[in-house]
Amino acid sequence: VTSPRPSILHDVGEDRLVRVLTAGLKQGQDVRVGPGDDCAVIGRDGDKIWCLLKTDCLLEGRHFLPNTPARWVGWKAMARSISDIAAMSGLPRHAMVTLAVDHGRPLQYVRSLYRGMEKAARAFGISIVGGETASSPGPIFLSIAMTGEVEPARCICRNGGRPGDALFVTGRLGGSIRGRHLRFVPRVKESRWLTDHFEIRAMMDLSDGLGADLPRLAVASGTGFELSREKIPTNRGVTIDEAISDGEDYELLFAVSQQDAEHLVSEWARRFSKLSLSRIGVLTEKSRRTKEELPKGYDHFAQPR
Amino acid sequence: VTSPRPSILHDVGEDRLVRVLTAGLKQGQDVRVGPGDDCAVIGRDGDKIWCLLKTDCLLEGRHFLPNTPARWVGWKAMARSISDIAAMSGLPRHAMVTLAVDHGRPLQYVRSLYRGMEKAARAFGISIVGGETASSPGPIFLSIAMTGEVEPARCICRNGGRPGDALFVTGRLGGSIRGRHLRFVPRVKESRWLTDHFEIRAMMDLSDGLGADLPRLAVASGTGFELSREKIPTNRGVTIDEAISDGEDYELLFAVSQQDAEHLVSEWARRFSKLSLSRIGVLTEKSRRTKEELPKGYDHFAQPR
């Protein structure tokens, strides 16, 4: 930032940009968790239910292509936000849709987009309570704002991990670009089950790839981590490096105490026989080197210009 | 829609598009007001406070220009959503920001945007609880999702007007493009005062111009309307037709019973000596001709391609 030419966003990177922009924002007393976690958490002392707030966007050419079926674009838009609500162990409730689209587009395209969103909304008990459209000459931009709710004792953030906690991921990682990034099912059921039966210490969903997301969880928890590379569950035809860096897995990454870990593995297998659960490593005392070992995940602003 | 070529958004128009897209959306039991009003309203029987939800966006080249000071863009983005909360007589509470911007932009520009949003947030007691950024090659796109709260008895929709009700607008209309569209102050205080002292039957904020917005209020209320053109309060250098069609006034339009109207005028003058209040017409029995008389307000999708 001391360079003679003014900083541009590309030099800053997405994580630092969000930190710079949201640092020092004044938060009301009811804001339990502000910017930086999967969702914001709103609740006053004594409330039986806390409110989760999340906003997320899809951009044509980046998160989907012009020829991607519109229904799947709609599904993906909704499912991404649902996945963030699941990452806090919440239940999604209401969604609002903001769509910027060229006014030369066929009405049918936008209707299909909505049908995809409705399908996801129905599947997860969400009401779409607002829809705004704006005519834009640029690529399609679709933003979803979502509310959710969670019991205070079950609200899991990224920052509760402790050294020694076992690290788990659901499902298999990597290669989502072949289609899973559009058609994934957010892990609401699994996340609710986890907090109903175990003391989950920290959790997040994998959107930018394990290589980008795990360090975020560790930094938030004030820990380091050790990965057992050979334990990382890969999708077919995907290398371990790709599984670490590809992104858009929308699986859960979470930390539980070592003593709970064994019990969790057996209970999980009984409850979710079709979805794998993998113990991929451990949180450690904070160390200086954690990030360099990993192939990096996706950063919007660090992509080639 | 029976034409041989497929309908495009331009042919449909903004109002009809939103109706088409949101028709038949399944709403949960807690959704008091769904798409179509200024905000969605969420509340269960017996709740002392209802939740308001709103999303709104600004697009570079349409709602502001590349050389518009970024602070004012930020202020405007926040103030527009606050104005919608005010239109239901609510208090704004939390905001989430979604920003799509080219990664070649100076960091300073985006910081100034945020500073403008923060200023508006602080002025109205709002916590900015989430910020997402995405790199986009297109024009800057800034979307705000906002929550608000309102007492059930004070929640005013567009649909409560009755034939015979007097129609009022706050402030003066027209010519906002000269600067007021960036620097306006949402009418939260005024709206809260109104519902604290009077039975406001229907209310909305003027964003697309009286000529587009008044028919929406009348249609929602199942009434017609009569405008006293000479009573329309115009800004300096603005014709009455321009005051009707310009848009982006962000003043309140509301209906009260005839018997309350006189009393309101005198009380208003005592409370808000610097802001005019004008009685501009009356709601009537539903009639076939209401819309044609008015110069039309702004419709995103009906603009020349």
Side-chain angles (χ1 to χ4, degrees), chain A residues 7 9-10 27-28 30 35 44 55-57 62 93-94 98 103 105 107 127-128 132 135 141, chain B residues 7 9-10 27-28 30 44 55-57 62 93-94 98 103 105 107 127-128 132 135 141:
Chain A
S7 288
L9 300 178
H10 181 265
Q27 302 295 345
D30 60 342
R44 295 194 174 96
T55 181
D56 184 73
C57 64
R62 193 165 295 273
R93 302 287 294 125
H94 311 100
T98 304
H103 60 180
R105 286 269 182 163
L107 176 59
S127 303
I128 299 177
E132 145 142 67
S135 175
F141 188 85
Chain B
S7 287
L9 299 179
H10 182 265
Q27 302 295 344
D30 60 342
R44 294 193 175 97
T55 181
D56 184 75
C57 64
R62 194 166 293 274
R93 301 287 296 124
H94 312 100
T98 304
H103 60 181
R105 286 269 180 163
L107 176 59
S127 303
I128 299 177
E132 146 143 67
S135 174
F141 188 85

mmCIF file of all heavy atoms in Angstrom, chain A residues 7 9-10 27-28 30 35 44 55-57 62 93-94 98 103 105 107 127-128 132 135 141, chain B residues 7 9-10 27-28 30 44 55-57 62 93-94 98 103 105 107 127-128 132 135 141:
data_model
loop_
_atom_site.group_PDB
_atom_site.id
_atom_site.type_symbol
_atom_site.label_atom_id
_atom_site.label_comp_id
_atom_site.label_asym_id
_atom_site.label_seq_id
_atom_site.Cartn_x
_atom_site.Cartn_y
_atom_site.Cartn_z
ATOM 1 N N SER A 7 -3.249 1.609 -4.945
ATOM 2 C CA SER A 7 -3.631 0.201 -4.916
ATOM 3 C C SER A 7 -4.882 -0.029 -5.728
ATOM 4 O O SER A 7 -5.824 0.753 -5.649
ATOM 5 C CB SER A 7 -3.935 -0.245 -3.484
ATOM 6 O OG SER A 7 -2.767 -0.333 -2.740
ATOM 7 N N LEU A 9 -7.857 -3.163 -6.710
ATOM 8 C CA LEU A 9 -8.441 -4.301 -6.003
ATOM 9 C C LEU A 9 -7.663 -5.584 -6.261
ATOM 10 O O LEU A 9 -7.515 -6.425 -5.383
ATOM 11 C CB LEU A 9 -9.905 -4.478 -6.408
ATOM 12 C CG LEU A 9 -10.790 -3.272 -6.095
ATOM 13 C CD1 LEU A 9 -12.209 -3.524 -6.569
ATOM 14 C CD2 LEU A 9 -10.770 -2.951 -4.609
ATOM 15 N N HIS A 10 -7.164 -5.731 -7.489
ATOM 16 C CA HIS A 10 -6.436 -6.935 -7.866
ATOM 17 C C HIS A 10 -5.249 -7.188 -6.943
ATOM 18 O O HIS A 10 -4.925 -8.336 -6.636
ATOM 19 C CB HIS A 10 -5.967 -6.802 -9.321
ATOM 20 C CG HIS A 10 -5.228 -7.998 -9.814
ATOM 21 N ND1 HIS A 10 -3.860 -8.087 -9.782
ATOM 22 C CD2 HIS A 10 -5.673 -9.160 -10.330
ATOM 23 C CE1 HIS A 10 -3.487 -9.262 -10.274
ATOM 24 N NE2 HIS A 10 -4.559 -9.931 -10.609
ATOM 25 N N GLN A 27 -21.168 -1.849 15.050
ATOM 26 C CA GLN A 27 -22.218 -2.872 15.145
ATOM 27 C C GLN A 27 -23.120 -2.611 16.350
ATOM 28 O O GLN A 27 -22.635 -2.270 17.422
ATOM 29 C CB GLN A 27 -21.590 -4.268 15.273
ATOM 30 C CG GLN A 27 -20.668 -4.646 14.124
ATOM 31 C CD GLN A 27 -21.387 -4.779 12.784
ATOM 32 O OE1 GLN A 27 -22.606 -4.861 12.725
ATOM 33 N NE2 GLN A 27 -20.618 -4.773 11.697
ATOM 34 N N GLY A 28 -24.397 -2.798 16.146
ATOM 35 C CA GLY A 28 -25.351 -2.661 17.247
ATOM 36 C C GLY A 28 -25.173 -3.779 18.265
ATOM 37 O O GLY A 28 -24.494 -4.780 18.016
ATOM 38 N N ASP A 30 -27.159 -5.966 19.262
ATOM 39 C CA ASP A 30 -27.794 -7.245 18.928
ATOM 40 C C ASP A 30 -27.002 -8.035 17.896
ATOM 41 O O ASP A 30 -27.387 -9.150 17.553
ATOM 42 C CB ASP A 30 -29.235 -7.017 18.433
ATOM 43 C CG ASP A 30 -29.274 -6.152 17.186
ATOM 44 O OD1 ASP A 30 -28.267 -5.455 16.901
ATOM 45 O OD2 ASP A 30 -30.300 -6.168 16.492
ATOM 46 N N PRO A 35 -19.521 -9.090 9.988
ATOM 47 C CA PRO A 35 -18.913 -9.585 8.757
ATOM 48 C C PRO A 35 -17.741 -10.526 9.036
ATOM 49 O O PRO A 35 -17.059 -10.378 10.036
ATOM 50 C CB PRO A 35 -18.394 -8.296 8.095
ATOM 51 C CG PRO A 35 -19.168 -7.182 8.713
ATOM 52 C CD PRO A 35 -19.453 -7.622 10.109
ATOM 53 N N ARG A 44 -30.686 -10.924 20.712
ATOM 54 C CA ARG A 44 -30.546 -10.224 21.994
ATOM 55 C C ARG A 44 -30.487 -11.269 23.107
ATOM 56 O O ARG A 44 -30.938 -12.404 22.946
ATOM 57 C CB ARG A 44 -31.714 -9.276 22.211
ATOM 58 C CG ARG A 44 -31.756 -8.133 21.197
ATOM 59 C CD ARG A 44 -32.718 -7.032 21.660
ATOM 60 N NE ARG A 44 -32.652 -5.873 20.755
ATOM 61 C CZ ARG A 44 -33.498 -5.664 19.735
ATOM 62 N NH1 ARG A 44 -34.453 -6.515 19.479
ATOM 63 N NH2 ARG A 44 -33.358 -4.591 18.968
ATOM 64 N N THR A 55 -25.785 -12.785 2.397
ATOM 65 C CA THR A 55 -25.995 -12.372 1.012
ATOM 66 C C THR A 55 -24.911 -12.989 0.146
ATOM 67 O O THR A 55 -23.776 -13.180 0.582
ATOM 68 C CB THR A 55 -26.029 -10.842 0.868
ATOM 69 O OG1 THR A 55 -26.266 -10.501 -0.484
ATOM 70 C CG2 THR A 55 -24.729 -10.219 1.310
ATOM 71 N N ASP A 56 -25.277 -13.367 -1.060
ATOM 72 C CA ASP A 56 -24.356 -14.078 -1.943
ATOM 73 C C ASP A 56 -24.762 -13.802 -3.388
ATOM 74 O O ASP A 56 -25.939 -13.611 -3.677
ATOM 75 C CB ASP A 56 -24.437 -15.584 -1.676
ATOM 76 C CG ASP A 56 -23.429 -16.330 -2.496
ATOM 77 O OD1 ASP A 56 -22.238 -16.255 -2.175
ATOM 78 O OD2 ASP A 56 -23.826 -16.974 -3.482
ATOM 79 N N CYS A 57 -23.792 -13.785 -4.276
ATOM 80 C CA CYS A 57 -24.133 -13.449 -5.663
ATOM 81 C C CYS A 57 -23.490 -14.387 -6.674
ATOM 82 O O CYS A 57 -22.462 -15.000 -6.418
ATOM 83 C CB CYS A 57 -23.743 -12.014 -5.966
ATOM 84 S SG CYS A 57 -21.979 -11.701 -5.884
ATOM 85 N N ARG A 62 -18.555 -16.200 -14.671
ATOM 86 C CA ARG A 62 -17.656 -16.556 -13.576
ATOM 87 C C ARG A 62 -18.205 -17.754 -12.790
ATOM 88 O O ARG A 62 -17.532 -18.752 -12.609
ATOM 89 C CB ARG A 62 -17.467 -15.364 -12.639
ATOM 90 C CG ARG A 62 -16.321 -15.532 -11.669
ATOM 91 C CD ARG A 62 -15.951 -14.207 -11.048
ATOM 92 N NE ARG A 62 -15.420 -13.259 -12.003
ATOM 93 C CZ ARG A 62 -14.124 -13.183 -12.340
ATOM 94 N NH1 ARG A 62 -13.251 -14.012 -11.800
ATOM 95 N NH2 ARG A 62 -13.704 -12.288 -13.199
ATOM 96 N N ARG A 93 -34.906 -19.536 5.993
ATOM 97 C CA ARG A 93 -36.302 -19.117 6.166
ATOM 98 C C ARG A 93 -36.852 -18.284 5.006
ATOM 99 O O ARG A 93 -37.879 -18.584 4.459
ATOM 100 C CB ARG A 93 -36.455 -18.322 7.477
ATOM 101 C CG ARG A 93 -36.033 -19.074 8.721
ATOM 102 C CD ARG A 93 -37.045 -20.152 9.096
ATOM 103 N NE ARG A 93 -38.278 -19.532 9.482
ATOM 104 C CZ ARG A 93 -39.471 -19.824 8.912
ATOM 105 N NH1 ARG A 93 -39.548 -20.738 7.962
ATOM 106 N NH2 ARG A 93 -40.552 -19.213 9.297
ATOM 107 N N HIS A 94 -36.164 -17.173 4.683
ATOM 108 C CA HIS A 94 -36.684 -16.261 3.661
ATOM 109 C C HIS A 94 -35.571 -15.851 2.707
ATOM 110 O O HIS A 94 -34.425 -15.726 3.108
ATOM 111 C CB HIS A 94 -37.254 -14.984 4.295
ATOM 112 C CG HIS A 94 -38.184 -15.253 5.432
ATOM 113 N ND1 HIS A 94 -37.784 -15.160 6.743
ATOM 114 C CD2 HIS A 94 -39.477 -15.637 5.444
ATOM 115 C CE1 HIS A 94 -38.802 -15.468 7.530
ATOM 116 N NE2 HIS A 94 -39.838 -15.772 6.774
ATOM 117 N N THR A 98 -32.246 -10.387 -6.220
ATOM 118 C CA THR A 98 -31.951 -9.209 -7.036
ATOM 119 C C THR A 98 -31.305 -9.681 -8.326
ATOM 120 O O THR A 98 -30.309 -10.394 -8.298
ATOM 121 C CB THR A 98 -30.993 -8.259 -6.299
ATOM 122 O OG1 THR A 98 -31.559 -7.921 -5.043
ATOM 123 C CG2 THR A 98 -30.774 -6.987 -7.117
ATOM 124 N N HIS A 103 -32.223 -6.241 -21.051
ATOM 125 C CA HIS A 103 -33.651 -6.302 -21.356
ATOM 126 C C HIS A 103 -33.949 -6.892 -22.732
ATOM 127 O O HIS A 103 -35.101 -6.963 -23.130
ATOM 128 C CB HIS A 103 -34.350 -4.962 -21.127
ATOM 129 C CG HIS A 103 -33.836 -3.831 -21.948
ATOM 130 N ND1 HIS A 103 -34.359 -2.559 -21.846
ATOM 131 C CD2 HIS A 103 -32.856 -3.768 -22.881
ATOM 132 C CE1 HIS A 103 -33.706 -1.771 -22.697
ATOM 133 N NE2 HIS A 103 -32.807 -2.475 -23.309
ATOM 134 N N ARG A 105 -33.062 -10.006 -23.178
ATOM 135 C CA ARG A 105 -33.156 -11.439 -22.885
ATOM 136 C C ARG A 105 -34.581 -11.956 -23.019
ATOM 137 O O ARG A 105 -35.529 -11.238 -22.695
ATOM 138 C CB ARG A 105 -32.736 -11.699 -21.431
ATOM 139 C CG ARG A 105 -31.279 -11.590 -21.221
ATOM 140 C CD ARG A 105 -30.602 -12.940 -21.409
ATOM 141 N NE ARG A 105 -29.185 -12.763 -21.150
ATOM 142 C CZ ARG A 105 -28.346 -13.734 -20.907
ATOM 143 N NH1 ARG A 105 -28.757 -14.988 -20.903
ATOM 144 N NH2 ARG A 105 -27.087 -13.489 -20.690
ATOM 145 N N LEU A 107 -37.945 -13.568 -21.970
ATOM 146 C CA LEU A 107 -38.671 -13.736 -20.705
ATOM 147 C C LEU A 107 -38.504 -15.164 -20.194
ATOM 148 O O LEU A 107 -38.370 -15.406 -18.996
ATOM 149 C CB LEU A 107 -40.154 -13.420 -20.935
ATOM 150 C CG LEU A 107 -41.099 -13.635 -19.770
ATOM 151 C CD1 LEU A 107 -40.707 -12.800 -18.566
ATOM 152 C CD2 LEU A 107 -42.539 -13.315 -20.176
ATOM 153 N N SER A 127 -39.348 -19.179 1.942
ATOM 154 C CA SER A 127 -40.253 -18.295 1.203
ATOM 155 C C SER A 127 -39.439 -17.248 0.450
ATOM 156 O O SER A 127 -38.606 -16.568 1.044
ATOM 157 C CB SER A 127 -41.191 -17.555 2.164
ATOM 158 O OG SER A 127 -41.922 -18.466 2.961
ATOM 159 N N ILE A 128 -39.674 -17.134 -0.857
ATOM 160 C CA ILE A 128 -39.058 -16.047 -1.632
ATOM 161 C C ILE A 128 -39.981 -14.842 -1.491
ATOM 162 O O ILE A 128 -41.061 -14.797 -2.069
ATOM 163 C CB ILE A 128 -38.890 -16.433 -3.114
ATOM 164 C CG1 ILE A 128 -37.969 -17.655 -3.239
ATOM 165 C CG2 ILE A 128 -38.323 -15.254 -3.917
ATOM 166 C CD1 ILE A 128 -37.788 -18.156 -4.669
ATOM 167 N N GLU A 132 -36.388 -8.247 -7.077
ATOM 168 C CA GLU A 132 -36.159 -6.992 -7.783
ATOM 169 C C GLU A 132 -35.413 -7.291 -9.070
ATOM 170 O O GLU A 132 -34.526 -8.149 -9.111
ATOM 171 C CB GLU A 132 -35.348 -6.050 -6.897
ATOM 172 C CG GLU A 132 -34.393 -5.196 -7.678
ATOM 173 C CD GLU A 132 -34.287 -3.785 -7.154
ATOM 174 O OE1 GLU A 132 -33.785 -3.620 -6.059
ATOM 175 O OE2 GLU A 132 -34.706 -2.856 -7.865
ATOM 176 N N SER A 135 -32.527 -3.617 -15.374
ATOM 177 C CA SER A 135 -31.973 -3.825 -16.702
ATOM 178 C C SER A 135 -30.515 -3.408 -16.703
ATOM 179 O O SER A 135 -30.175 -2.309 -16.300
ATOM 180 C CB SER A 135 -32.772 -2.982 -17.703
ATOM 181 O OG SER A 135 -32.193 -3.087 -18.971
ATOM 182 N N PHE A 141 -26.276 -10.732 -13.341
ATOM 183 C CA PHE A 141 -25.841 -10.676 -11.956
ATOM 184 C C PHE A 141 -27.029 -11.046 -11.095
ATOM 185 O O PHE A 141 -28.091 -10.447 -11.211
ATOM 186 C CB PHE A 141 -25.358 -9.266 -11.636
ATOM 187 C CG PHE A 141 -24.711 -9.151 -10.295
ATOM 188 C CD1 PHE A 141 -23.373 -9.446 -10.140
ATOM 189 C CD2 PHE A 141 -25.435 -8.744 -9.200
ATOM 190 C CE1 PHE A 141 -22.767 -9.341 -8.898
ATOM 191 C CE2 PHE A 141 -24.842 -8.644 -7.959
ATOM 192 C CZ PHE A 141 -23.507 -8.934 -7.814
ATOM 193 N N SER B 7 -41.169 -13.593 -26.270
ATOM 194 C CA SER B 7 -41.172 -12.338 -25.532
ATOM 195 C C SER B 7 -39.787 -12.060 -24.968
ATOM 196 O O SER B 7 -39.130 -12.956 -24.443
ATOM 197 C CB SER B 7 -42.130 -12.415 -24.343
ATOM 198 O OG SER B 7 -43.437 -12.373 -24.778
ATOM 199 N N LEU B 9 -37.628 -9.241 -22.310
ATOM 200 C CA LEU B 9 -37.961 -8.468 -21.116
ATOM 201 C C LEU B 9 -38.437 -7.069 -21.475
ATOM 202 O O LEU B 9 -39.324 -6.517 -20.832
ATOM 203 C CB LEU B 9 -36.752 -8.399 -20.190
ATOM 204 C CG LEU B 9 -36.259 -9.759 -19.688
ATOM 205 C CD1 LEU B 9 -35.037 -9.582 -18.798
ATOM 206 C CD2 LEU B 9 -37.356 -10.489 -18.940
ATOM 207 N N HIS B 10 -37.844 -6.477 -22.510
ATOM 208 C CA HIS B 10 -38.200 -5.125 -22.926
ATOM 209 C C HIS B 10 -39.695 -4.986 -23.218
ATOM 210 O O HIS B 10 -40.303 -3.957 -22.944
ATOM 211 C CB HIS B 10 -37.370 -4.741 -24.158
ATOM 212 C CG HIS B 10 -37.638 -3.354 -24.632
ATOM 213 N ND1 HIS B 10 -38.548 -3.082 -25.633
ATOM 214 C CD2 HIS B 10 -37.141 -2.169 -24.232
ATOM 215 C CE1 HIS B 10 -38.582 -1.772 -25.839
ATOM 216 N NE2 HIS B 10 -37.740 -1.193 -25.007
ATOM 217 N N GLN B 27 -45.643 -19.028 -0.138
ATOM 218 C CA GLN B 27 -45.207 -18.258 1.023
ATOM 219 C C GLN B 27 -45.520 -19.007 2.314
ATOM 220 O O GLN B 27 -46.595 -19.573 2.455
ATOM 221 C CB GLN B 27 -45.908 -16.891 1.044
ATOM 222 C CG GLN B 27 -45.677 -16.040 -0.200
ATOM 223 C CD GLN B 27 -44.222 -15.625 -0.378
ATOM 224 O OE1 GLN B 27 -43.428 -15.706 0.550
ATOM 225 N NE2 GLN B 27 -43.865 -15.197 -1.587
ATOM 226 N N GLY B 28 -44.579 -18.963 3.248
ATOM 227 C CA GLY B 28 -44.806 -19.555 4.560
ATOM 228 C C GLY B 28 -45.857 -18.785 5.338
ATOM 229 O O GLY B 28 -46.231 -17.671 4.981
ATOM 230 N N ASP B 30 -45.685 -17.316 8.091
ATOM 231 C CA ASP B 30 -45.221 -16.108 8.773
ATOM 232 C C ASP B 30 -45.045 -14.928 7.819
ATOM 233 O O ASP B 30 -44.692 -13.838 8.240
ATOM 234 C CB ASP B 30 -43.905 -16.382 9.507
ATOM 235 C CG ASP B 30 -42.799 -16.817 8.560
ATOM 236 O OD1 ASP B 30 -43.108 -17.231 7.426
ATOM 237 O OD2 ASP B 30 -41.624 -16.743 8.946
ATOM 238 N N ARG B 44 -45.315 -13.613 13.109
ATOM 239 C CA ARG B 44 -46.269 -14.631 13.518
ATOM 240 C C ARG B 44 -47.313 -13.989 14.427
ATOM 241 O O ARG B 44 -47.065 -12.940 15.026
ATOM 242 C CB ARG B 44 -45.557 -15.775 14.256
ATOM 243 C CG ARG B 44 -44.602 -16.556 13.349
ATOM 244 C CD ARG B 44 -44.168 -17.861 14.025
ATOM 245 N NE ARG B 44 -43.356 -18.674 13.116
ATOM 246 C CZ ARG B 44 -42.017 -18.689 13.113
ATOM 247 N NH1 ARG B 44 -41.336 -17.933 13.950
ATOM 248 N NH2 ARG B 44 -41.355 -19.454 12.253
ATOM 249 N N THR B 55 -34.677 -5.568 -0.530
ATOM 250 C CA THR B 55 -33.436 -5.566 -1.286
ATOM 251 C C THR B 55 -33.551 -4.558 -2.415
ATOM 252 O O THR B 55 -34.621 -4.348 -2.976
ATOM 253 C CB THR B 55 -33.089 -6.972 -1.813
ATOM 254 O OG1 THR B 55 -31.858 -6.915 -2.509
ATOM 255 C CG2 THR B 55 -34.147 -7.497 -2.742
ATOM 256 N N ASP B 56 -32.453 -3.898 -2.704
ATOM 257 C CA ASP B 56 -32.463 -2.835 -3.700
ATOM 258 C C ASP B 56 -31.069 -2.716 -4.299
ATOM 259 O O ASP B 56 -30.079 -2.987 -3.633
ATOM 260 C CB ASP B 56 -32.850 -1.522 -3.033
ATOM 261 C CG ASP B 56 -32.959 -0.406 -4.051
ATOM 262 O OD1 ASP B 56 -33.954 -0.393 -4.783
ATOM 263 O OD2 ASP B 56 -32.048 0.432 -4.128
ATOM 264 N N CYS B 57 -30.992 -2.326 -5.561
ATOM 265 C CA CYS B 57 -29.675 -2.260 -6.198
ATOM 266 C C CYS B 57 -29.448 -0.970 -6.973
ATOM 267 O O CYS B 57 -30.386 -0.322 -7.433
ATOM 268 C CB CYS B 57 -29.475 -3.461 -7.116
ATOM 269 S SG CYS B 57 -30.624 -3.496 -8.505
ATOM 270 N N ARG B 62 -26.731 3.875 -14.743
ATOM 271 C CA ARG B 62 -28.174 4.005 -14.682
ATOM 272 C C ARG B 62 -28.595 4.821 -13.454
ATOM 273 O O ARG B 62 -29.310 5.804 -13.573
ATOM 274 C CB ARG B 62 -28.839 2.623 -14.655
ATOM 275 C CG ARG B 62 -30.320 2.646 -14.928
ATOM 276 C CD ARG B 62 -30.822 1.245 -15.231
ATOM 277 N NE ARG B 62 -30.304 0.703 -16.471
ATOM 278 C CZ ARG B 62 -30.857 0.912 -17.667
ATOM 279 N NH1 ARG B 62 -31.937 1.643 -17.787
ATOM 280 N NH2 ARG B 62 -30.324 0.388 -18.751
ATOM 281 N N ARG B 93 -32.676 -1.647 10.538
ATOM 282 C CA ARG B 93 -31.861 -2.308 11.568
ATOM 283 C C ARG B 93 -30.510 -2.824 11.067
ATOM 284 O O ARG B 93 -29.490 -2.517 11.637
ATOM 285 C CB ARG B 93 -32.650 -3.486 12.173
ATOM 286 C CG ARG B 93 -33.975 -3.111 12.804
ATOM 287 C CD ARG B 93 -33.812 -2.373 14.132
ATOM 288 N NE ARG B 93 -33.185 -3.240 15.105
ATOM 289 C CZ ARG B 93 -32.055 -2.939 15.757
ATOM 290 N NH1 ARG B 93 -31.435 -1.814 15.531
ATOM 291 N NH2 ARG B 93 -31.552 -3.775 16.628
ATOM 292 N N HIS B 94 -30.525 -3.677 10.030
ATOM 293 C CA HIS B 94 -29.285 -4.293 9.561
ATOM 294 C C HIS B 94 -29.194 -4.225 8.048
ATOM 295 O O HIS B 94 -30.215 -4.299 7.371
ATOM 296 C CB HIS B 94 -29.214 -5.771 9.978
ATOM 297 C CG HIS B 94 -29.538 -6.002 11.406
ATOM 298 N ND1 HIS B 94 -30.776 -6.447 11.819
ATOM 299 C CD2 HIS B 94 -28.799 -5.827 12.525
ATOM 300 C CE1 HIS B 94 -30.778 -6.537 13.141
ATOM 301 N NE2 HIS B 94 -29.605 -6.171 13.591
ATOM 302 N N THR B 98 -23.692 -6.176 -1.261
ATOM 303 C CA THR B 98 -23.083 -6.987 -2.310
ATOM 304 C C THR B 98 -22.578 -6.051 -3.397
ATOM 305 O O THR B 98 -23.329 -5.239 -3.918
ATOM 306 C CB THR B 98 -24.101 -7.957 -2.918
ATOM 307 O OG1 THR B 98 -24.658 -8.750 -1.878
ATOM 308 C CG2 THR B 98 -23.436 -8.867 -3.939
ATOM 309 N N HIS B 103 -11.785 -5.558 -11.029
ATOM 310 C CA HIS B 103 -10.658 -5.621 -10.091
ATOM 311 C C HIS B 103 -9.508 -4.694 -10.469
ATOM 312 O O HIS B 103 -8.483 -4.677 -9.809
ATOM 313 C CB HIS B 103 -10.191 -7.059 -9.839
ATOM 314 C CG HIS B 103 -9.723 -7.802 -11.050
ATOM 315 N ND1 HIS B 103 -9.292 -9.097 -10.986
ATOM 316 C CD2 HIS B 103 -9.644 -7.434 -12.350
ATOM 317 C CE1 HIS B 103 -8.950 -9.496 -12.208
ATOM 318 N NE2 HIS B 103 -9.160 -8.512 -13.030
ATOM 319 N N ARG B 105 -10.170 -1.484 -10.453
ATOM 320 C CA ARG B 105 -10.559 -0.238 -9.773
ATOM 321 C C ARG B 105 -9.632 0.079 -8.608
ATOM 322 O O ARG B 105 -9.175 -0.834 -7.918
ATOM 323 C CB ARG B 105 -11.961 -0.382 -9.192
ATOM 324 C CG ARG B 105 -13.030 -0.338 -10.195
ATOM 325 C CD ARG B 105 -13.512 1.070 -10.404
ATOM 326 N NE ARG B 105 -14.562 1.036 -11.407
ATOM 327 C CZ ARG B 105 -15.430 2.012 -11.604
ATOM 328 N NH1 ARG B 105 -15.370 3.119 -10.882
ATOM 329 N NH2 ARG B 105 -16.337 1.915 -12.535
ATOM 330 N N LEU B 107 -8.540 0.761 -4.938
ATOM 331 C CA LEU B 107 -9.078 0.435 -3.615
ATOM 332 C C LEU B 107 -9.789 1.644 -3.019
ATOM 333 O O LEU B 107 -10.824 1.537 -2.363
ATOM 334 C CB LEU B 107 -7.916 -0.016 -2.714
ATOM 335 C CG LEU B 107 -8.248 -0.304 -1.253
ATOM 336 C CD1 LEU B 107 -9.290 -1.398 -1.135
ATOM 337 C CD2 LEU B 107 -6.981 -0.695 -0.494
ATOM 338 N N SER B 127 -26.721 -1.423 11.487
ATOM 339 C CA SER B 127 -25.464 -2.166 11.492
ATOM 340 C C SER B 127 -25.248 -2.797 10.112
ATOM 341 O O SER B 127 -26.128 -3.505 9.624
ATOM 342 C CB SER B 127 -25.501 -3.291 12.532
ATOM 343 O OG SER B 127 -25.775 -2.784 13.814
ATOM 344 N N ILE B 128 -24.095 -2.547 9.529
ATOM 345 C CA ILE B 128 -23.730 -3.247 8.282
ATOM 346 C C ILE B 128 -23.078 -4.565 8.696
ATOM 347 O O ILE B 128 -21.949 -4.585 9.162
ATOM 348 C CB ILE B 128 -22.771 -2.406 7.414
ATOM 349 C CG1 ILE B 128 -23.437 -1.087 7.017
ATOM 350 C CG2 ILE B 128 -22.345 -3.191 6.169
ATOM 351 C CD1 ILE B 128 -22.538 -0.145 6.215
ATOM 352 N N GLU B 132 -20.101 -8.528 0.768
ATOM 353 C CA GLU B 132 -19.524 -9.454 -0.197
ATOM 354 C C GLU B 132 -19.055 -8.677 -1.413
ATOM 355 O O GLU B 132 -19.711 -7.728 -1.852
ATOM 356 C CB GLU B 132 -20.575 -10.484 -0.601
ATOM 357 C CG GLU B 132 -20.443 -10.928 -2.044
ATOM 358 C CD GLU B 132 -20.744 -12.390 -2.252
ATOM 359 O OE1 GLU B 132 -21.889 -12.765 -2.071
ATOM 360 O OE2 GLU B 132 -19.816 -13.132 -2.622
ATOM 361 N N SER B 135 -15.540 -9.793 -8.340
ATOM 362 C CA SER B 135 -14.904 -9.108 -9.456
ATOM 363 C C SER B 135 -15.761 -9.282 -10.698
ATOM 364 O O SER B 135 -16.115 -10.393 -11.068
ATOM 365 C CB SER B 135 -13.516 -9.709 -9.671
ATOM 366 O OG SER B 135 -12.934 -9.161 -10.810
ATOM 367 N N PHE B 141 -22.081 -2.805 -9.775
ATOM 368 C CA PHE B 141 -23.404 -3.203 -9.337
ATOM 369 C C PHE B 141 -23.355 -3.298 -7.818
ATOM 370 O O PHE B 141 -22.515 -3.985 -7.263
ATOM 371 C CB PHE B 141 -23.738 -4.561 -9.951
ATOM 372 C CG PHE B 141 -25.146 -4.983 -9.712
ATOM 373 C CD1 PHE B 141 -26.157 -4.547 -10.558
ATOM 374 C CD2 PHE B 141 -25.469 -5.797 -8.654
ATOM 375 C CE1 PHE B 141 -27.464 -4.928 -10.349
ATOM 376 C CE2 PHE B 141 -26.774 -6.178 -8.434
ATOM 377 C CZ PHE B 141 -27.776 -5.746 -9.284
#
